[in-house]
Amino acid sequence: MIQKNFIPNKTALTTLIAACLVVIISLGIRQTFGLFFFDFEIDLGCTQTQFGFAMGIQLLFWGLLGPVFGIITDKYGGRIAVFIGFLFYLAGIYFLNYGPNTGHWFTFDIGILIGIGLGATAISIPVSIVAKHFPLNTRTMATGIVTAAGSFGYFISPMYTRYTLLEFGWNTTLVIFGIMIISGLIIAFFLSTPMKQPDQQNDDKQTAIDAIKEAFSNKSFNYLTLGFFVCGWHIALVATHIPMHIRDNGLEDWTATAILALIGLFNIFGTLSSGYLSTRIS
């Protein structure tokens, strides 16, 4: 049952709000790249195969760099990890807009640089930072709120991105993304990573390798990892290719925007409900 005082202290509240804003910016931007394809195809000579490959590389680097930023978070604090991640994210957006941004450079910009940025700014690191502020009986609700914030970014970002693409073009839209990421650099400093969790003592002598071994020896961790594999498989596929699929089937372009927004909208209810239920049942 959720304890009477859900927020333990002001630091926890500040960190929770900052983490929500971080994932709204990071995942909100990431969810919309598929909407850019037709502009990239015309102006950058990007083919559908090249675009899909670049987005796949993005997901790969997102996953590969997650543990690295986890180590940085444990050693130096979450604000440092997220700040570094947003720097890579900003670099990817900048070069994607101003070049070099064609051929292999396109894959480097949107795939590698932004993928590295997502490794620190997407769900995993912000959730881990927030989790350290809450005891076990309210931790899943707190992390559910952060995840729901990411879903809110999924919900609103396709709508305003489509609007700016139609009204101002893709270059100006990327400038807006850059401004959002710069605000994320500032928000990162409001993240606080406590040395000790509220209900347990950390083993400060445990190395990163030992932590990884312990994690993979836990069945729950392995099942959770497989769950994220499934999530990345289908959500990333839809976000990347649904705009092309919609046009190929003769539907209006706004249909893709509606699909992406609805995924985010219903995911908000799903994550909040799951976070709450996890405080009541296993």
Side-chain angles (χ1 to χ4, degrees), residues 5 25 167 185 251 255 263 271 279:
N5 296 322
I25 294 170
E167 294 295 324
L185 289 169
L251 299 174
T255 309
I263 290 174
T271 50
T279 67

Side-chain angles (χ1 to χ4, degrees), residues 152-203:
F152 178 72
Y154 276 5
F155 170 58
I156 62 172
S157 60
M159 294 183 288
Y160 71 70
T161 298
R162 173 168 168 75
Y163 172 78
T164 56
L165 285 172
L166 291 175
E167 294 295 324
F168 308 110
W170 67 273
N171 296 100
T172 301
T173 302
L174 289 182
V175 171
I176 296 172
F177 284 176
I179 294 172
M180 294 169 61
I181 294 172
I182 291 173
S183 69
L185 289 169
I186 299 172
I187 294 169
F189 287 102
F190 290 90
L191 296 169
S192 175
T193 308
M195 296 304 296
K196 303 293 183 183
Q197 294 187 19
D199 53 6
Q200 68 183 48
Q201 296 294 314
N202 293 338
D203 183 6

